[in-house]
Amino acid sequence: MTPRTLEAALRRAAVRAYDLAPDDVPLVWPRNDHAEEGADAASALPPRLVRMVAGRSSRPLTVSGRVVAELALMRDEGLLDYAHAADDARGFVNVTFTDAQHRDLLAAAADGPRLLTGRAWDGSGEWPTTPLHEAGPVAQARRLARADARRRLSIAIGEPSPPPGPGDAEVSWRDPYLDGERGEPVTPAARVLGTVGEASARVAFCRSIPEHPREAETTGRDLPVLPSAEYPGAWVRLTDANPAFRLRYAHAHAVSRVRWMGEGETAPVPCPRHTARVRGLLFDGTSAVDTAARREEPHILVRYLEALASAYDEWRTCPTADPEGVEGAAVDPALPAAVAGVLRTGLFLLGVSAPTRL
């Protein structure tokens, strides 16, 4: 079950319940982080419908109850499937997926572009990538990087189909500014690129919210919004303290884990709680990309990717994972493949490469 599949089902249930025109029903992405405990996703569609159905129903709980009842009818008619659906005190519809739908979500997420944007990236044209070293001040390089991310996000969700995106080819850790030969940097922007590299710079520039940050503003401990060659902060480190490194490392680890498992290496069976957390974040990727694009706020995408990378780290290092597995259990490479697919696509939208080996 993908976000688009569930959104379409909820839309259809609302249309049937209230005889609405499909185009009049607002787009409301179902989200895992809105769901009550035990559910996989929740939709805030019913509260949005209250004014549209005034006179027939004027309370979110009444609307959500009718939508849930319509979902049950649709399931009886064989139009969709789910394990459980119920409304809550907010008037949201909570849906729990079947085991098969959990597996389908992971399989869909391995194709990051299709999960996040609903289509293949097979159009024409090129993705914008501005040479950041051509900027003078660091603030100008930041504006260029954010403009690139905004254009890429717009292309990803807009029409026509986006040009081809990140493929499965092997990508190294080499950085054009750290490992290339560009001569002696002369501008503040070029010097910071030569200090922290392009990947860290683009993530740093897109991670914060304000368009005109203060000189000493940070987005976390030792994470300056405007890093400089003299004070790069944690952006220069190859550790978890650097969000850019952490994102790229998580991708490299996920790809490597799929490869190791394909070569026959055994792995511990992770606990269900951490598995559900990763799966929920994968489900929320569609909403994160759409929101970041429509609001033109790339920091939404950065923070989403960081949450996914953190959940993946907890999944792979879970202390309660069974090192010997359980009878009949097998470690499925679908989850790391799904994480790799979404991280790779998200980094690409920020203009950042995703290494494939540790």
Side-chain angles (χ1 to χ4, degrees), residues 93-135:
V93 174
N94 290 263
V95 180
T96 304
F97 304 154
T98 65
D99 290 341
Q101 289 170 330
H102 287 151
R103 293 191 295 270
D104 289 345
L105 172 63
L106 296 181
D111 184 350
R114 187 175 292 278
L115 176 78
L116 297 179
T117 66
R119 61 225 176 123
W121 292 5
D122 54 5
S124 59
E126 296 184 0
W127 293 92
T129 305
T130 305
L132 300 184
H133 66 276
E134 294 182 357

Side-chain angles (χ1 to χ4, degrees), residues 62-248:
T62 306
V63 178
S64 61
R66 288 192 61 174
V67 171
V68 168
E70 201 64 44
L71 286 174
L73 290 174
M74 292 166 61
R75 183 173 62 174
D76 292 343
E77 296 169 14
L79 298 177
L80 79 155
D81 191 22
Y82 56 86
H84 182 68
D87 57 349
D88 60 29
R90 303 165 298 176
F92 286 21
V93 174
N94 290 263
V95 180
T96 304
F97 304 154
T98 65
D99 290 341
Q101 289 170 330
H102 287 151
R103 293 191 295 270
D104 289 345
L105 172 63
L106 296 181
D111 184 350
R114 187 175 292 278
L115 176 78
L116 297 179
T117 66
R119 61 225 176 123
W121 292 5
D122 54 5
S124 59
E126 296 184 0
W127 293 92
T129 305
T130 305
L132 300 184
H133 66 276
E134 294 182 357
V138 176
Q140 183 182 10
R142 180 177 183 269
R143 288 194 293 272
L144 294 175
R146 292 167 73 82
D148 281 350
R150 286 177 172 132
R151 289 198 296 270
R152 284 172 171 254
L153 283 163
S154 178
I155 290 171
I157 71 165
E159 296 292 344
S161 295
D168 296 327
E170 187 164 316
V171 177
S172 75
W173 285 88
R174 291 180 61 84
D175 187 282
Y177 293 99
L178 296 177
D179 306 307
E181 296 182 3
R182 291 185 174 272
E184 188 68 23
V186 294
T187 66
R191 286 198 296 272
V192 75
L193 287 163
T195 302
V196 306
E198 182 176 21
S200 288
R202 286 188 181 273
V203 173
F205 295 153
C206 290
R207 191 174 194 260
S208 58
I209 300 174
E211 288 303 309
H212 302 286
R214 299 185 302 273
E215 190 71 24
E217 189 169 341
T218 66
T219 59
R221 184 176 180 180
D222 204 21
L223 294 172
V225 173
L226 296 171
S228 64
E230 296 73 27
Y231 174 45
W235 296 111
V236 77
R237 300 177 195 164
L238 301 181
T239 69
D240 282 353
N242 179 352
F245 175 81
R246 189 175 190 185
L247 291 175
R248 301 174 84 216

